[in-house]
Amino acid sequence: MNRKAVFVGFLVLLFLIFIYRPWFTGGEIIGGDWSYRFPEMVNEMAQLSSAWQGGYGGGLGGLSPSYFLSTYNFISSWLSVASGLPWVIVYKLFWFLCPLIFIATGGWQLMATIVPRSYLWMRAIASLILTTNTYVLMVTGGGQMGVFYAASIFPWVLIAFFRFIRGTKDPWTTTLILGAVFGMQISLDPRIAYLSAISMGILCLFEEHGLVLFWKRLRFGIVAGAVSIFLNLYWVLPLLILKENTLDTLGSAYTTISALRFFSFADFSHALSLLHPNWPENLFGKTYFLQPEFLVLPILAFSSLLFTKKIKENAFVFGFATLGLVGAFLSKGANEPFGLVYVWLFEHIPFFVMFRDPTKFYVLIMTSYAVLIPFTLYFITQVTKKYYATLVWLIPVVFLLYWMILIRPSMVGALGGTFTYREVPKQYIALKQLLSQEQGFFRTLWVPRQSRFTFTSQNQLSIEAGPLLGATDAASLERAMQIATVRDQLDALSIRYIIVPFDPYGEIFTDDRKYSQTKRDDVEKVLDTVSWLTKIQSGDVAVYEIPPSKDYFWIENGTVLNWRNITDDYYEVEVITEQPTKLVMSESFHHGWQAIVNGKKIAPEKENFGIMSFALQEMADGKVIIELTPRRYYLWGRWISISTLFVVLLFLFTSRAHDR
């Protein structure tokens, strides 16, 4: 890399540091969907994830719908524990800095790959468009780091794709690299990988084809696809065998047409202008009027079609223009024009149900514009230099100033979420100390929902009153607490404490998107009237204790001497019973669980309140194994994925060494 490239790259780096400075100049990153974790929680996360996750299913457990991402949670937390570095340093490097570097260098290299003779300023602008557009700033500000990580791999998937499809002397290397990069993206977020597949399909249409070339690409393409799948068998294999949709554990809000219509926030004009509908406040459900200055972006992008005199040499322009139009059309979701097309796709196209939030298609738009806009600016400079040769540099500078005007809220520190400095409230540190001193298994019930600072562990799980009791405010809570069976329900679910959270950042008790102390006080007043609750803590965090609740495992006629969890999907229980009875497990019912007594397998039965039990015969000081049978498929898939990764890396390493 020459000195000019280093200098231009350094300027891009300075610009990104300025935009994303809140991430690296403060303490904890608190905001959006980014979860805060106490040190004890990080230590538990440093263990390999089980097939069953106690935090899902409303706090009663379920098969993890995001098991593919658990690997990265494990790696990052393990690095913190193994190195002794504070979690705040590790996650800022792993989850925030790394994807930022990936997407910035990816934009630069994508332009260099598509247009090898492109100027350095063209590559710099491509990088800035990808890293600082309103969609990326809203995603990162919203703490959706899994989405951002997958999006940061997006340009690298296209780079690998172009190197693969345009042919090299070593097709096996390009094939394995494409499979590995695409496989990594799948494991970060299958939705963004789905967009990569769509993009590769569209761009392939504008490449040179021939019968011999087609079959060659098809053969090696199958290999690349197989590599991607094998790298993800640690979570794909169980789904293929069980044929179970883990999205069902998240509820109908993720799969219904009504949910799709609700989440279709963007309209066609916003999408075409690369303007996120929630820009700049990023308040959920609050959309803004179109800002006309953003309309310059699609004009610049699609003006590139005017400069493609040599269609064969510039076929990529038509490909990326098509990509941008497809992205803009789909990003509006069920909104007009032709909103029924998206609804039809949502109902009939395999895996399209993943896109209840259509703004994910902004990834196609921003990638398209990152290529097309520098291309247009290049031709404008070619026209300009005929008359003002000394002012050629003015075009990219003017665009940079215009871009800074578009994203001015990020320039002046006006963005919220992860871009806002926040501290961990001392009230939650004290609550964590209180709960962590408790012995045995129990759950906490948060009314109406839990805080982002909720402390949980393998033996201390949390449940929200909203989904469990339908208690979303004081009035519905009062009705729920008057139900005759509610006390038995909380007892069966091992709930020991009911907590009314402290809401310092106005995320729980809101009225017209503003914090309401009245709503919080009303909830506390309702719980104060419940006779069988004992209030053990007042103030910002109110804590109520329920009379001794049942354990995680309990038996109707007999005694549970001891139980321990080897993993979250494998338990050993010691029981004594003098007659046939039921061993109850305080976890949501799933047919995949089984009890094993003296080699005999016992299927679960569904009990009241959605938990499960196992029928036992008379036994004295007996040992019962409780296991989730699908766990074996996760273990098999994990070993296949690790073996595939090892083989791919070994081949690439030996191939590179041979070339030298």
Side-chain angles (χ1 to χ4, degrees):
M1 184 177 289
N2 57 41
R3 292 183 178 180
K4 288 185 178 180
V6 172
F7 177 72
V8 175
F10 181 71
L11 292 180
V12 173
L13 177 63
L14 288 179
F15 188 83
L16 294 180
I17 290 175
F18 181 74
I19 295 295
Y20 290 94
R21 63 192 181 278
W23 286 0
F24 309 110
T25 56
E28 295 282 357
I29 297 178
I30 299 171
D33 293 339
W34 180 251
S35 301
Y36 173 77
R37 294 182 174 92
F38 290 98
E40 296 87 345
M41 299 168 67
V42 176
N43 291 336
E44 287 193 358
M45 197 169 62
Q47 305 170 15
L48 282 173
S49 298
S50 302
W52 189 266
Q53 298 292 313
Y56 289 103
L60 294 175
L63 292 178
S64 174
S66 59
Y67 190 82
F68 50 84
L69 200 58
S70 298
T71 299
Y72 296 92
N73 288 327
F74 161 72
I75 292 173
S76 56
S77 56
W78 181 86
L79 287 173
S80 175
V81 174
S83 66
L85 290 174
W87 171 239
V88 63
I89 294 178
V90 173
Y91 77 65
K92 284 188 176 184
L93 294 176
F94 188 92
W95 285 103
F96 289 81
L97 181 60
C98 282
L100 185 59
I101 292 174
F102 287 161
I103 194 170
T105 55
W108 180 290
Q109 192 59 39
L110 179 62
M111 177 59 69
T113 300
I114 297 173
V115 187
R117 295 183 180 180
S118 58
Y119 290 108
L120 292 176
W121 63 262
M122 296 173 65
R123 302 176 186 183
I125 288 177
S127 179
L128 291 178
I129 290 176
L130 281 183
T131 52
T132 58
N133 62 80
T134 62
Y135 175 73
V136 165
L137 290 172
M138 291 294 92
V139 167
T140 55
Q144 301 176 45
M145 304 316 295
V147 175
F148 180 49
Y149 227 128
S152 73
I153 305 297
F154 193 90
W156 289 103
V157 173
L158 295 187
I159 291 168
F161 166 74
F162 277 111
R163 290 177 177 174
F164 162 79
I165 202 169
R166 291 180 177 178
T168 64
K169 296 180 180 179
D170 188 1
W172 280 109
T173 298
T174 56
T175 298
L176 292 181
I177 290 176
L178 175 60
V181 175
F182 187 52
M184 178 182 178
Q185 189 182 48
I186 293 174
S187 64
L188 284 163
D189 194 314
R191 296 169 299 182
I192 305 301
Y194 196 95
L195 299 183
S196 292
I198 292 175
S199 301
M200 289 187 284
I202 291 175
L203 294 173
C204 185
L205 297 176
F206 296 90
E207 291 294 316
E208 183 179 355
H209 294 285
L211 186 59
V212 175
L213 191 59
F214 171 78
W215 284 112
K216 179 181 178 181
R217 288 171 177 171
L218 180 61
R219 292 197 309 272
F220 284 101
I222 292 174
V223 174
V227 170
S228 299
I229 294 174
F230 273 71
L231 286 173
N232 284 275
L233 280 183
Y234 68 95
W235 66 275
V236 172
L237 183 64
L239 296 182
L240 294 176
I241 295 177
L242 298 174
K243 298 180 180 180
E244 185 168 346
N245 184 8
T246 55
L247 287 177
D248 291 340
T249 62
L250 301 177
S252 61
Y254 286 78
T255 57
T256 62
I257 298 300
S258 58
L260 167 64
R261 296 187 186 279
F262 175 77
F263 283 98
S264 296
F265 297 130
D267 55 33
F268 186 70
S269 56
H270 276 82
L272 192 65
S273 302
L274 192 53
L275 174 60
H276 194 283
N278 301 134
W279 175 265
E281 292 186 47
N282 209 13
L283 296 177
F284 180 77
K286 184 178 181 180
T287 58
Y288 296 82
F289 292 112
L290 178 68
Q291 299 176 33
E293 59 268 28
F294 279 85
L295 290 171
V296 176
L297 292 179
I299 293 174
L300 285 174
F302 294 106
S303 292
S304 59
L305 295 170
L306 302 175
F307 302 108
T308 53
K309 295 181 180 179
K310 297 180 180 180
I311 297 178
K312 184 177 181 179
E313 294 181 7
N314 299 317
F316 72 90
V317 173
F318 294 92
F320 279 93
T322 303
L323 196 66
L325 288 174
V326 170
F329 179 77
L330 295 177
S331 292
K332 66 180 180 54
N335 292 326
E336 297 300 331
F338 307 111
L340 290 177
V341 174
Y342 195 97
V343 174
W344 186 89
L345 294 172
F346 189 81
E347 291 181 315
H348 296 91
I349 299 300
F351 308 116
F352 211 86
V353 71
M354 296 187 296
F355 297 99
R356 66 153 189 171
D357 176 12
T359 57
K360 297 292 185 296
F361 286 95
Y362 268 71
V363 173
L364 305 185
I365 308 170
M366 71 184 197
T367 306
S368 169
Y369 289 9
V371 172
L372 298 180
I373 289 177
F375 189 79
T376 298
L377 295 177
Y378 163 76
F379 279 101
I380 294 177
T381 61
Q382 297 305 300
V383 174
T384 304
K385 74 177 184 180
K386 294 180 180 179
Y387 307 99
Y388 307 99
T390 59
L391 297 179
V392 172
W393 55 269
L394 187 61
I395 301 301
V397 170
V398 168
F399 176 81
L400 179 60
L401 293 174
Y402 159 70
W403 186 258
M404 293 169 65
I405 292 174
L406 293 183
I407 62 170
R408 57 190 179 275
S410 66
M411 304 289 292
V412 299
L415 298 182
T418 63
F419 294 105
T420 301
Y421 297 108
R422 290 175 172 176
E423 295 181 351
V424 182
K426 60 182 180 181
Q427 293 87 340
Y428 283 105
I429 297 177
L431 179 64
K432 188 267 294 187
Q433 293 173 345
L434 171 67
L435 296 178
S436 60
Q437 293 173 358
E438 292 289 319
Q439 300 297 317
F441 175 86
F442 65 89
R443 290 187 174 95
T444 55
L445 178 66
W446 293 71
V447 185
R449 59 187 179 90
Q450 62 185 324
S451 164
R452 65 170 60 252
F453 304 106
T454 298
F455 172 75
T456 61
S457 68
Q458 289 179 334
N459 288 330
Q460 299 177 18
L461 300 173
S462 60
I463 298 181
E464 295 183 338
L468 180 67
L469 304 175
T472 57
D473 54 20
S476 55
L477 174 64
E478 184 174 16
R479 290 192 297 269
M481 300 307 287
Q482 291 174 352
I483 298 174
T485 59
V486 67
R487 184 172 177 178
D488 294 334
Q489 180 179 11
L490 301 185
D491 184 41
L493 301 184
S494 306
I495 295 174
R496 186 179 300 178
Y497 297 105
I498 297 180
I499 300 174
V500 182
F502 176 46
D503 190 18
Y505 302 122
E507 300 173 309
I508 302 173
F509 301 100
T510 59
D511 186 7
D512 193 23
R513 299 188 177 90
K514 295 181 180 179
Y515 174 70
S516 173
Q517 181 66 35
T518 301
K519 283 193 171 185
R520 187 198 177 281
D521 292 342
D522 289 344
V523 168
E524 192 169 348
K525 289 176 182 178
V526 171
L527 294 176
D528 286 340
T529 63
V530 180
S531 60
W532 42 272
L533 293 178
T534 302
K535 194 172 188 178
I536 63 173
Q537 179 174 303
S538 301
D540 293 327
V541 180
V543 181
Y544 298 82
E545 186 175 10
I546 302 177
S549 58
K550 290 183 171 63
D551 200 354
Y552 187 68
F553 287 101
W554 49 277
I555 198 167
E556 292 182 345
N557 299 298
T559 304
V560 175
L561 297 176
N562 185 34
W563 66 270
R564 63 192 184 105
N565 58 327
I566 310 303
T567 60
D568 286 345
D569 51 20
Y570 189 92
Y571 295 83
E572 294 180 354
V573 188
E574 296 179 17
V575 303
I576 294 178
T577 177
E578 298 179 352
Q579 57 183 303
T581 185
K582 289 182 178 181
L583 174 65
V584 181
M585 182 180 183
S586 183
E587 199 84 347
S588 60
F589 175 84
H590 189 278
H591 60 83
W593 286 95
Q594 67 177 8
I596 303 176
V597 181
N598 297 325
K600 181 181 179 181
K601 298 179 181 179
I602 304 171
E605 299 176 7
K606 194 168 186 177
E607 294 291 317
N608 293 333
F609 314 121
I611 58 179
M612 58 186 152
S613 67
F614 303 91
L616 301 182
Q617 299 300 315
E618 178 181 341
M619 54 194 308
D621 193 15
K623 183 178 180 181
V624 182
I625 301 298
I626 307 291
E627 70 167 347
L628 184 69
T629 54
R631 68 190 298 268
R632 68 190 68 172
Y633 308 132
Y634 286 88
L635 295 175
W636 296 347
R638 184 181 298 165
W639 281 112
I640 296 174
S641 296
I642 293 174
S643 300
T644 302
L645 179 62
F646 176 78
V647 171
V648 170
L649 293 178
L650 181 63
F651 178 89
L652 294 177
F653 177 79
T654 54
S655 176
R656 190 178 184 89
H658 182 266
D659 291 340
R660 290 179 179 178

